[in-house]
Amino acid sequence: MRKIVILAEGNFKVDASKTATGVIRYSRDEVVAVIDSTRAGVDVAQALGIDLGRGIPVVRDINEALGYQPDALLIGIAPKRGDLPHEWRWQLLTAIDNGLDIINGLHALLTEDEELQTAAQRRGVALWDVRLPPDKRVISSYAPHRPGSHTILTVGSDCSTGKMTTMLEINREAQRRGLNSAFVATGQTGIMISGNGLPVDHIISDFVAGMVEEMVLDFASQYDWVFVEGQGALNHPGYSPVTLGLLHGALPDAMIFCHKAGATAVGGYENCPRLSLARMIEINEDAVNWLHPEQNSKVVGVSLMTYHLSEAEARAEVRRVEEEVGLPTTDVVRFGAGRLMDAVGMHFGA
C-alpha cells in the first residue's frame, strides 16, 4: 500500500477534483496530504465541505507535503484539455528528486516529457501515465456475452454526475450480498482505484467500442455481474462520442442513469439546454438497442448526486425524481446502493 500526496493546486473542490475525491474515498492506498495553496491549513473535509477525508491535511506545496513521508505524488485534478500546467512542473520535479513515483491521469503523458522522464530515470522512480492505452487496435466483433452474466453500465446527463462512484458502490453492495461481481474502470480515476481498465477517452474513436467489448467480454467470462463505469453523456456537446463507444462496446443488459440534483444545463455549456430526465433516459436506451434489440436494455434506476443539498432537501429531491421518471432513485453515497442493486436484480429476475 502506497502513501500518496495528491496535487490539486488551485482547484480542490468536489466537482473540479473528482480524481482527488475518488481516490480519497475509494483507494486502498493511504492519502497522507493534499496540495492546494489556496485551501492550505484545513483538512480535506473542511476544504470540500463534505464528510470525506477528515484528518487529511491540505498543505501549501510539495515541500510541506514531504513532511508526511509520501511514496508517490498523484495528480488529482485535470485542467481543460488535460495539459500539464507549467506552474506545476517544479512540484513534480521536487517530488521526483525526493524519490516519489508520479501517478498521472492527464492527457499529457509524462513519459513523453523529456525533462521529467530524464529526472525520473536519474532518480530511479516510476512515471505512471494512467491514460496511456494498450498499444493495439481492436474493432468490435459484436460477440455475445457469456450466458448467465449480466453487464450493467452507468450513463448520465453530464460529466461528473457520479458514474464511477455509482458503479463502485453497487459493486460493493453486490459483493456484500455474496454475488460474483466486478467493477470495470473506463477512466483514469477508476483505473487508479481498481488497477484495471481502459482509458477510453484516450483511445482513437474507431477502436473504443472494440477495446471496450474485448475488456467486457473478458470480465463477463469470469463474473456473473459486471459493473462498467460510464463516461460523458450522449447529450453532451463535447463528450458524446466516448459515451456512444461505451454503449456499443459494453452492450449493457441494463443501465443506471446518473444525474446531479437541480442541474438545468450541461456544465460549461449554458446555451445547451438540459433535456428532460425522461428524454435523456430514452436516448440512452435507444442507442444501446440499435445493436441490442433482443435484450431490450433498459435504465432500471437513477443515481442522484445530492452532496450540495441538506439531507432533508436530498430526500425530497430523491422522491421528486422517482415520481418524475417512475424508477427507483437514491444517492448511493448518502443513502447506500441497496435500492439500485435491488432494481438491477429485479430486472434480471435474480
Side-chain angles (χ1 to χ4, degrees):
M1 189 173 73
R2 290 171 294 208
K3 295 173 69 176
I4 289 175
V5 57
I6 296 178
L7 177 62
E9 177 55 36
N11 229 347
F12 187 49
K13 305 171 187 175
V14 175
D15 284 340
S17 56
K18 60 180 186 174
T19 294
T21 55
V23 168
I24 291 166
R25 191 184 299 278
Y26 294 110
S27 179
R28 289 167 294 207
D29 294 322
E30 179 187 1
V31 177
V32 297
V34 173
I35 297 170
D36 183 352
S37 62
T38 67
R39 292 173 177 248
V42 299
D43 72 5
V44 163
Q46 292 168 313
L48 295 177
I50 60 175
D51 189 16
L52 176 68
R54 292 192 184 280
I56 300 173
V58 181
V59 299
R60 291 187 307 275
D61 56 29
I62 182 60
N63 290 319
E64 187 177 352
L66 290 171
Y68 296 91
Q69 299 182 313
D71 305 314
L73 180 146
L74 182 147
I75 298 176
I77 56 176
K80 228 170 189 180
R81 302 195 315 152
D83 293 332
L84 175 66
H86 179 75
E87 59 270 21
W88 292 3
R89 184 171 290 271
W90 77 268
Q91 303 221 48
L92 298 187
L93 288 167
T94 300
I96 290 168
D97 287 344
N98 282 273
L100 274 63
D101 295 331
I102 307 295
I103 304 168
N104 169 43
L106 301 176
H107 282 293
L109 302 179
L110 302 190
T111 51
E112 295 180 355
D113 184 301
E114 185 176 350
E115 182 182 27
L116 294 173
Q117 179 75 325
T118 299
Q121 289 174 346
R122 183 175 61 245
R123 191 62 175 81
V125 303
L127 302 180
W128 179 22
D129 286 320
V130 180
R131 268 191 164 120
L132 182 64
D135 186 19
K136 60 181 178 180
R137 297 175 179 180
V138 180
I139 300 294
S140 173
S141 64
Y142 195 61
H145 296 183
R146 175 180 64 84
S149 69
H150 312 291
T151 298
I152 299 92
L153 174 71
T154 39
V155 294
S157 59
D158 200 346
C159 302
S160 302
T161 54
K163 292 180 282 291
M164 178 195 75
T165 298
T166 298
M167 287 289 91
L168 285 165
E169 291 289 345
I170 295 179
N171 184 53
R172 277 183 174 181
E173 177 64 19
Q175 292 181 349
R176 189 187 67 78
R177 298 182 185 193
L179 300 177
N180 178 31
S181 72
F183 165 78
V184 181
T186 62
Q188 73 275 15
T189 308
I191 294 170
M192 291 173 184
I193 292 165
S194 67
N196 67 56
L198 283 173
V200 294
D201 61 1
H202 207 83
I203 295 172
I204 295 171
S205 60
D206 276 2
F207 310 120
V208 170
M211 293 184 72
V212 169
E213 177 193 64
E214 180 182 69
M215 176 175 65
V216 170
L217 286 171
D218 180 55
F219 273 88
S221 72
Q222 303 173 62
Y223 299 94
D224 297 332
W225 301 87
V226 179
F227 298 106
V228 184
E229 173 192 11
Q231 299 291 332
L234 279 185
N235 56 291
H236 195 290
Y239 302 130
S240 57
V242 71
T243 310
L244 186 60
L246 267 169
L247 284 163
H248 287 174
L251 284 181
D253 305 304
M255 294 168 283
I256 300 292
F257 189 83
C258 301
H259 178 63
K260 182 178 179 181
T264 58
V266 175
Y269 295 85
E270 298 310 314
N271 293 324
C272 180
R274 196 208 77 187
L275 304 175
S276 70
L277 290 177
R279 179 59 180 145
M280 287 187 284
I281 288 170
E282 180 183 49
I283 65 174
N284 280 279
E285 292 175 340
D286 283 349
V288 175
N289 292 317
W290 296 337
L291 299 186
H292 215 15
E294 74 286 354
Q295 289 296 113
N296 192 25
S297 183
K298 293 286 187 184
V299 170
V300 299
V302 176
S303 179
L304 205 60
M305 283 202 326
T306 68
Y307 67 85
H308 53 298
L309 305 177
S310 70
E311 183 162 337
E313 290 169 335
R315 291 188 183 279
E317 186 65 6
V318 165
R319 288 193 297 271
R320 189 196 68 75
V321 169
E322 194 163 77
E323 291 172 3
E324 179 182 344
V325 298
L327 293 170
T329 301
T330 192
D331 180 326
V332 296
V333 172
R334 221 165 187 167
F335 307 126
R339 293 204 70 206
L340 296 183
M341 189 62 226
D342 288 345
V344 169
M346 287 179 61
H347 180 71
F348 295 107

